[in-house]
């Protein structure tokens, strides 16, 4: 059946629930997992970019640290569950595209993800990354609610 599962996470409680369910599935199938976190690049306003360079550096450092902490926690959960795990950290404005690309390049045969990480107006404005993965992936996608 499935031997390599991609599990994208964003640090939300729903994504963490999806991670736990994905790890449980991987354990039952004796599959390995790749856990992926994608963080957004700093959006520089068009005014006074020189003054904001320090802000950009701080943002990038903090975003990488936070995303790395998500991956470290996920790797610990995978280890505790007895599931072989690798992690991937990427930066992109289009998380869904990175999810699809990583699944293909890493040889995954299933993407297991939560239904959404954002809610309210953010979800409405940004759209559901899960919906975009479903629309663009050629691999099976298992969606956890």
């Amino acid at each position: 059946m499935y031997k390599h599962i991609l599990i994208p996470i964003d640090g939300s409680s729903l994504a963490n629930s999806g991670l736990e369910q994905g790890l449980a599935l991987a354990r039952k199938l004796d599959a390995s997992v790749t856990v992926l976190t994608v963080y957004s690049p700093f959006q520089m306003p068009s005014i006074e970019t020189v003054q904001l360079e320090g802000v950009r550096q701080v943002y990038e450092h903090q975003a990488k640290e936070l995303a790395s902490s998500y991956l470290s926690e996920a790797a610990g959960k995978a280890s505790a569950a007895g599931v072989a795990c690798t992690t991937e950290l990427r930066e992109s404005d289009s998380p869904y595209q990175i999810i699809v690309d990583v699944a293909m390049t890493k040889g995954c045969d299933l993407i297991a993800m939560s239904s959404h990480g954002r809610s309210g107006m953010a979800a409405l404005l940004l759209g559901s990354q899960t919906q975009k993965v479903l629309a663009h992936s050629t691999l099976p996608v298992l969606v956890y609610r």
Side-chain angles (χ1 to χ4, degrees):
M1 182 124 230
Y2 301 114
K3 292 297 175 193
H4 189 182
I5 303 170
L6 177 69
I7 306 174
I9 60 171
D10 64 5
S12 68
S13 60
L14 188 59
N16 288 333
S17 176
L19 170 67
E20 291 176 11
Q21 292 178 66
L23 291 173
L25 176 64
R27 184 178 57 245
K28 288 179 182 176
L29 296 175
D30 196 27
S32 64
V33 299
T34 296
V35 180
L36 168 69
T37 295
V38 181
Y39 68 93
S40 298
F42 181 72
Q43 300 297 320
M44 186 86 68
S46 61
I47 58 169
E48 302 298 326
T49 57
V50 173
Q51 293 177 355
L52 295 175
E53 185 60 27
V55 173
R56 182 186 63 79
Q57 290 174 350
V58 169
Y59 167 82
E60 287 179 354
H61 176 74
Q62 290 178 344
K64 285 179 186 175
E65 273 192 10
L66 185 59
S68 293
S69 72
Y70 299 154
L71 294 175
S72 178
E73 185 178 325
K77 288 180 180 181
S79 178
V83 175
C85 175
T86 59
T87 60
E88 290 283 328
L89 173 62
R90 303 288 174 92
E91 176 187 47
S92 177
D93 280 330
S94 300
Y96 79 92
Q97 190 62 57
I98 297 299
I99 293 167
V100 172
D101 291 348
V102 167
M104 296 302 290
T105 60
K106 294 292 180 178
C108 298
D109 45 20
L110 176 68
I111 300 171
M113 60 191 301
S114 60
S115 59
H116 60 282
R118 294 183 173 96
S119 61
M121 188 58 81
L124 181 64
L125 293 175
L126 299 173
S128 168
Q129 295 301 311
T130 305
Q131 288 177 325
K132 292 175 184 175
V133 169
L134 286 166
H136 292 92
S137 177
T138 58
L139 297 173
V141 179
L142 176 61
V143 179
Y144 292 109
R145 293 187 60 88

